[in-house]
Amino acid sequence: MEVIQEPPPVSSTSSTTTTGTGNGNTDSANPKGKRSYVCSVEGCGKCFHRGEHLKRHIRSIHTHDKPFKCTYPECDKNFNRHDNLLQHLKVH
């Protein structure tokens, strides 16, 4: 199994280390169901099956980054997940 270093998230307070194939496949690349994406933030160590789930975890739990901004005029809301933004847009 090779070790892949992903670039750190926007915040410089944490970094991620992933292991696995790095090809984006789900459980078919990981037949035993081993969670090969591990959060390396000190004291966390939470594991995920998919790299995008690890990134979502880091953004919402560790960095509190909210890169998805509502485009509706005079709305100042930001979201950490695109699907939450899409749900929000339905209220406008």
Side-chain angles (χ1 to χ4, degrees), residues 5-17 38-45 54-65:
Q5 280 287 84
E6 290 188 9
V10 175
S11 172
S12 61
T13 60
S14 64
S15 63
T16 60
T17 302
V38 180
C39 180
S40 63
V41 173
E42 187 174 333
C44 185
L54 172 59
K55 290 177 186 178
R56 178 180 68 193
H57 161 79
I58 290 172
R59 191 182 314 127
S60 63
I61 304 299
H62 299 300
T63 66
H64 303 286
D65 186 26

Side-chain angles (χ1 to χ4, degrees), residues 8 14 21 24 28 36 38-39 41 44-45 48 53-54 57 66 68-69 72 74 80 84 86-87 89:
S14 64
T21 61
S28 62
S36 57
V38 180
C39 180
V41 173
C44 185
F48 300 90
H53 294 167
L54 172 59
H57 161 79
K66 294 185 177 185
F68 302 100
K69 180 174 178 13
Y72 196 80
E74 298 185 27
N80 64 344
N84 291 340
L86 295 177
Q87 185 67 35
L89 288 172

